[in-house]
Amino acid sequence: AQSVTQLDSQVPVFEEAPVELRCNYSSSVSVYLFWYVQYPNQGLQLLLKYLSGSTLVKGINGFEAEFNKSQTSFHLRKPSVHISDTAEYFCAVTRYSSASKIIFGSGTRLSIRP
Amino acid sequence: DTGVSQDPRHKITKRGQNVTFRCDPISEHNRLYWYRQTLGQGPEFLTYFQNEAQLEKSRLLSDRFSAERPKGSFSTLEIQRTEQGDSAMYLCASSPPVGTDQFVSGNTIYFGEGSWLTVV
Protein backbone atom coordinates (compact mmCIF):
# COMPACT_ATOMS: atom_id res chain seq x y z
CA ALA A 1 0.00 0.00 0.00
CA GLN A 2 1.06 3.56 -0.58
CA SER A 3 1.25 6.30 2.03
CA VAL A 4 2.24 9.94 2.18
CA THR A 5 3.75 11.93 5.02
CA GLN A 6 3.76 15.70 5.04
CA LEU A 7 6.27 16.64 7.64
CA ASP A 8 4.96 20.10 8.48
CA SER A 9 1.36 20.82 9.37
CA GLN A 10 1.92 24.58 9.16
CA VAL A 11 4.53 26.71 7.43
CA PRO A 12 4.55 30.47 8.05
CA VAL A 13 6.69 32.57 5.71
CA PHE A 14 7.06 36.22 4.86
CA GLU A 15 5.87 37.53 1.52
CA GLU A 16 8.50 37.28 -1.23
CA ALA A 17 10.49 34.73 0.76
CA PRO A 18 11.20 31.25 -0.63
CA VAL A 19 9.30 28.26 0.70
CA GLU A 20 9.65 24.50 0.71
CA LEU A 21 6.85 22.13 1.70
CA ARG A 22 8.10 18.65 2.46
CA CYS A 23 6.56 15.38 1.36
CA ASN A 24 7.77 11.81 1.74
CA TYR A 25 6.04 8.78 0.35
CA SER A 26 6.14 5.06 0.88
CA SER A 27 5.42 2.47 -1.76
CA SER A 28 6.70 -0.92 -2.84
CA VAL A 29 5.83 -0.20 -6.47
CA SER A 30 6.36 2.63 -8.91
CA VAL A 31 4.14 5.61 -8.31
CA TYR A 32 2.87 8.86 -9.70
CA LEU A 33 3.12 11.87 -7.38
CA PHE A 34 1.01 15.01 -7.15
CA TRP A 35 0.66 18.27 -5.33
CA TYR A 36 -2.80 19.77 -4.94
CA VAL A 37 -3.77 23.16 -3.48
CA GLN A 38 -6.98 23.91 -1.63
CA TYR A 39 -8.15 27.46 -1.03
CA PRO A 40 -10.65 28.06 1.80
CA ASN A 41 -14.04 26.44 1.24
CA GLN A 42 -13.06 25.11 -2.16
CA GLY A 43 -12.18 21.80 -3.74
CA LEU A 44 -8.68 20.72 -4.67
CA GLN A 45 -6.79 22.06 -7.66
CA LEU A 46 -3.88 20.25 -9.27
CA LEU A 47 -0.60 22.18 -8.93
CA LEU A 48 1.74 19.73 -10.60
CA LYS A 49 2.43 16.05 -11.09
CA TYR A 50 5.36 13.71 -11.59
CA LEU A 51 4.78 10.84 -13.99
CA SER A 52 8.25 10.04 -15.28
CA GLY A 53 11.23 11.66 -16.96
CA SER A 54 12.79 14.80 -15.56
CA THR A 55 12.78 14.77 -11.78
CA LEU A 56 12.14 18.52 -11.63
CA VAL A 57 8.52 19.26 -12.35
CA LYS A 58 7.12 22.72 -12.91
CA GLY A 59 3.53 23.55 -12.09
CA ILE A 60 1.15 26.46 -12.00
CA ASN A 61 1.59 29.66 -10.02
CA GLY A 62 5.39 29.40 -10.08
CA PHE A 63 5.60 26.21 -8.01
CA GLU A 64 7.96 23.36 -8.75
CA ALA A 65 8.73 20.03 -7.15
CA GLU A 66 11.61 17.60 -7.28
CA PHE A 67 11.21 13.85 -7.26
CA ASN A 68 13.96 12.07 -5.36
CA LYS A 69 13.58 8.31 -5.62
CA SER A 70 16.42 7.44 -3.26
CA GLN A 71 14.97 9.62 -0.53
CA THR A 72 11.36 8.86 -1.50
CA SER A 73 10.60 12.55 -1.41
CA PHE A 74 8.67 15.00 -3.54
CA HIS A 75 9.18 18.43 -1.95
CA LEU A 76 7.34 21.46 -3.27
CA ARG A 77 9.15 24.76 -3.68
CA LYS A 78 8.55 28.33 -4.72
CA PRO A 79 11.33 30.94 -4.88
CA SER A 80 9.13 33.88 -3.87
CA VAL A 81 5.69 33.56 -2.34
CA HIS A 82 2.77 35.93 -2.58
CA ILE A 83 -0.12 36.59 -0.22
CA SER A 84 -2.39 34.78 -2.68
CA ASP A 85 -0.45 31.55 -2.08
CA THR A 86 -2.04 31.25 1.35
CA ALA A 87 -3.80 27.89 1.22
CA GLU A 88 -3.61 24.24 2.22
CA TYR A 89 -1.27 22.08 0.16
CA PHE A 90 -1.65 18.34 -0.20
CA CYS A 91 0.87 15.86 -1.46
CA ALA A 92 -0.61 12.71 -3.02
CA VAL A 93 0.49 9.40 -4.49
CA THR A 94 -1.06 6.81 -6.72
CA ARG A 95 0.14 3.45 -7.92
CA TYR A 96 1.63 3.31 -11.40
CA SER A 97 -1.06 1.11 -12.85
CA SER A 98 -4.42 1.22 -14.49
CA ALA A 99 -7.19 2.75 -12.42
CA SER A 100 -5.95 3.34 -8.92
CA LYS A 101 -7.10 5.59 -6.11
CA ILE A 102 -5.02 8.55 -5.01
CA ILE A 103 -3.83 8.68 -1.42
CA PHE A 104 -3.40 12.09 0.18
CA GLY A 105 -1.20 13.38 2.93
CA SER A 106 -2.64 15.30 5.86
CA GLY A 107 -1.79 18.66 4.34
CA THR A 108 0.44 21.65 5.04
CA ARG A 109 -1.10 25.02 5.76
CA LEU A 110 0.96 27.76 4.15
CA SER A 111 0.42 31.16 5.71
CA ILE A 112 2.05 34.22 4.20
CA ARG A 113 2.91 37.19 6.37
CA PRO A 114 3.15 40.66 4.78
CA ASP B 1 -18.40 25.14 -16.99
CA THR B 2 -17.14 21.66 -17.86
CA GLY B 3 -15.66 20.80 -14.47
CA VAL B 4 -16.89 18.32 -11.87
CA SER B 5 -20.19 19.53 -10.46
CA GLN B 6 -21.54 18.70 -7.00
CA ASP B 7 -24.94 19.37 -5.51
CA PRO B 8 -25.88 20.60 -2.99
CA ARG B 9 -22.86 22.63 -1.95
CA HIS B 10 -24.07 22.85 1.62
CA LYS B 11 -26.46 20.69 3.61
CA ILE B 12 -27.52 21.00 7.24
CA THR B 13 -29.49 18.07 8.56
CA LYS B 14 -30.69 16.72 11.86
CA ARG B 15 -29.13 13.61 13.29
CA GLY B 16 -30.92 10.52 12.08
CA GLN B 17 -32.04 11.98 8.76
CA ASN B 18 -30.92 10.70 5.38
CA VAL B 19 -28.99 12.86 2.94
CA THR B 20 -28.01 12.40 -0.69
CA PHE B 21 -25.29 14.15 -2.65
CA ARG B 22 -25.01 14.20 -6.41
CA CYS B 23 -21.89 14.40 -8.54
CA ASP B 24 -21.68 15.07 -12.27
CA PRO B 25 -18.20 14.24 -13.56
CA ILE B 26 -16.38 15.81 -16.45
CA SER B 27 -17.88 14.40 -19.62
CA GLU B 28 -15.91 11.50 -21.11
CA HIS B 29 -14.35 10.73 -17.73
CA ASN B 30 -15.18 7.13 -16.98
CA ARG B 31 -13.76 7.01 -13.46
CA LEU B 32 -15.46 8.71 -10.55
CA TYR B 33 -14.26 8.98 -6.95
CA TRP B 34 -15.76 9.99 -3.64
CA TYR B 35 -13.61 11.34 -0.83
CA ARG B 36 -14.40 12.70 2.61
CA GLN B 37 -12.48 15.55 4.20
CA THR B 38 -12.72 16.79 7.76
CA LEU B 39 -11.20 20.00 9.07
CA GLY B 40 -7.44 19.91 9.19
CA GLN B 41 -7.17 16.60 7.37
CA GLY B 42 -6.43 15.47 3.87
CA PRO B 43 -9.12 13.86 1.74
CA GLU B 44 -9.87 10.25 2.70
CA PHE B 45 -10.80 7.83 -0.03
CA LEU B 46 -14.32 6.40 0.19
CA THR B 47 -15.05 4.64 -3.08
CA TYR B 48 -14.60 4.74 -6.81
CA PHE B 49 -16.36 3.69 -9.96
CA GLN B 50 -15.17 2.77 -13.39
CA ASN B 51 -18.17 3.37 -15.59
CA GLU B 52 -21.08 1.94 -13.59
CA ALA B 53 -19.01 -0.63 -11.70
CA GLN B 54 -18.03 0.16 -8.11
CA LEU B 55 -14.50 -1.21 -8.03
CA GLU B 56 -13.34 -0.36 -4.55
CA LYS B 57 -14.82 0.69 -1.24
CA SER B 58 -12.95 1.93 1.80
CA ARG B 59 -13.49 0.50 5.24
CA LEU B 60 -14.59 4.05 6.09
CA LEU B 61 -17.73 3.42 4.08
CA SER B 62 -20.00 1.94 6.71
CA ASP B 63 -23.30 0.24 5.98
CA ARG B 64 -25.03 3.59 6.32
CA PHE B 65 -23.22 4.87 3.24
CA SER B 66 -24.12 3.83 -0.27
CA ALA B 67 -22.88 5.13 -3.59
CA GLU B 68 -24.30 4.47 -7.01
CA ARG B 69 -23.51 5.31 -10.59
CA PRO B 70 -26.32 3.58 -12.43
CA LYS B 71 -25.62 4.70 -15.98
CA GLY B 72 -21.94 5.37 -15.72
CA SER B 73 -22.45 9.12 -15.76
CA PHE B 74 -23.54 10.97 -12.61
CA SER B 75 -23.18 9.44 -9.17
CA THR B 76 -25.03 9.74 -5.87
CA LEU B 77 -23.73 9.26 -2.36
CA GLU B 78 -26.40 8.59 0.25
CA ILE B 79 -25.88 8.64 3.98
CA GLN B 80 -28.63 7.04 6.03
CA ARG B 81 -29.35 7.79 9.69
CA THR B 82 -26.76 10.54 9.79
CA GLU B 83 -24.58 10.98 12.86
CA GLN B 84 -22.68 14.03 14.03
CA GLY B 85 -19.45 12.30 13.07
CA ASP B 86 -20.59 12.37 9.46
CA SER B 87 -20.13 16.15 9.38
CA ALA B 88 -17.47 16.75 6.74
CA MET B 89 -16.93 17.88 3.20
CA TYR B 90 -17.68 15.21 0.63
CA LEU B 91 -15.57 15.58 -2.46
CA CYS B 92 -16.24 14.05 -5.83
CA ALA B 93 -13.59 13.68 -8.49
CA SER B 94 -13.29 12.19 -11.93
CA SER B 95 -10.51 11.06 -14.23
CA PRO B 96 -10.22 10.15 -17.87
CA PRO B 97 -10.07 6.61 -19.24
CA VAL B 98 -6.85 4.71 -18.92
CA GLY B 99 -5.46 3.97 -22.31
CA THR B 100 -3.21 5.62 -24.80
CA ASP B 101 -3.27 8.80 -22.79
CA GLN B 102 -2.54 7.16 -19.44
CA PHE B 103 0.99 8.35 -19.63
CA VAL B 104 -0.29 11.86 -20.00
CA SER B 105 -3.15 11.74 -17.55
CA GLY B 106 -1.18 9.65 -15.10
CA ASN B 107 -4.25 8.90 -13.08
CA THR B 108 -4.77 12.62 -12.55
CA ILE B 109 -8.10 13.24 -10.93
CA TYR B 110 -10.07 16.46 -11.07
CA PHE B 111 -12.08 17.54 -8.06
CA GLY B 112 -15.38 19.28 -7.68
CA GLU B 113 -15.98 22.08 -5.19
CA GLY B 114 -17.27 19.67 -2.57
CA SER B 115 -20.48 19.28 -0.61
CA TRP B 116 -20.42 20.40 3.01
CA LEU B 117 -22.50 18.34 5.41
CA THR B 118 -23.33 19.55 8.90
CA VAL B 119 -25.24 17.18 11.14
CA VAL B 120 -26.86 18.88 14.13
Side-chain angles (χ1 to χ4, degrees), chain A residues 36 38 49 51 99 101-102, chain B residues 35 37 56 103-104 108-109:
Chain A
Y36 281 83
Q38 187 175 36
K49 59 188 176 185
L51 307 181
K101 65 192 179 199
I102 290 184
Chain B
Y35 284 81
Q37 186 179 22
E56 189 171 349
F103 213 64
V104 175
T108 303
I109 66 175

Side-chain angles (χ1 to χ4, degrees), chain B residues 10-79:
Chain B
H10 298 88
K11 179 72 175 179
I12 300 174
T13 190
K14 292 183 178 180
R15 189 176 54 184
Q17 297 295 305
N18 299 343
V19 296
T20 299
F21 299 110
R22 176 182 169 123
C23 172
D24 288 89
I26 296 171
S27 60
E28 301 171 358
H29 281 192
N30 67 336
R31 285 178 286 162
L32 186 148
Y33 305 78
W34 285 100
Y35 284 81
R36 180 173 68 187
Q37 186 179 22
T38 53
L39 285 175
Q41 298 297 317
E44 298 172 296
F45 171 78
L46 292 179
T47 188
Y48 92 91
F49 294 82
Q50 182 163 299
N51 299 313
E52 65 275 11
Q54 189 173 19
L55 296 187
E56 189 171 349
K57 291 171 58 173
S58 164
R59 290 189 301 273
L60 293 174
L61 215 63
S62 75
D63 291 345
R64 296 185 297 106
F65 288 71
S66 62
E68 294 182 346
R69 195 183 184 198
K71 297 182 180 180
S73 56
F74 73 91
S75 175
T76 57
L77 176 68
E78 181 183 18
I79 308 173

Side-chain angles (χ1 to χ4, degrees), chain A residues 8-49:
Chain A
D8 306 296
S9 60
Q10 295 187 52
V11 174
V13 295
F14 287 104
E15 193 172 15
E16 298 183 5
V19 69
E20 177 179 84
L21 306 184
R22 297 182 292 169
C23 171
N24 286 89
Y25 70 94
S26 173
S27 177
S28 58
V29 299
S30 296
V31 296
Y32 295 135
L33 292 156
F34 307 84
W35 276 98
Y36 281 83
V37 60
Q38 187 175 36
Y39 299 103
N41 300 316
Q42 294 188 22
L44 282 77
Q45 179 183 1
L46 181 67
L47 266 182
L48 49 80
K49 59 188 176 185

Side-chain angles (χ1 to χ4, degrees), chain A residues 35-89:
Chain A
W35 276 98
Y36 281 83
V37 60
Q38 187 175 36
Y39 299 103
N41 300 316
Q42 294 188 22
L44 282 77
Q45 179 183 1
L46 181 67
L47 266 182
L48 49 80
K49 59 188 176 185
Y50 172 76
L51 307 181
S52 69
S54 172
T55 57
L56 184 63
V57 180
K58 294 190 182 299
I60 62 172
N61 301 340
F63 284 93
E64 62 181 32
E66 186 159 19
F67 171 61
N68 188 319
K69 188 174 183 179
S70 63
Q71 297 187 3
T72 61
S73 68
F74 190 53
H75 300 333
L76 181 70
R77 302 185 183 102
K78 186 170 183 177
S80 176
V81 296
H82 189 265
I83 290 285
S84 60
D85 293 323
T86 298
E88 190 92 18
Y89 292 80

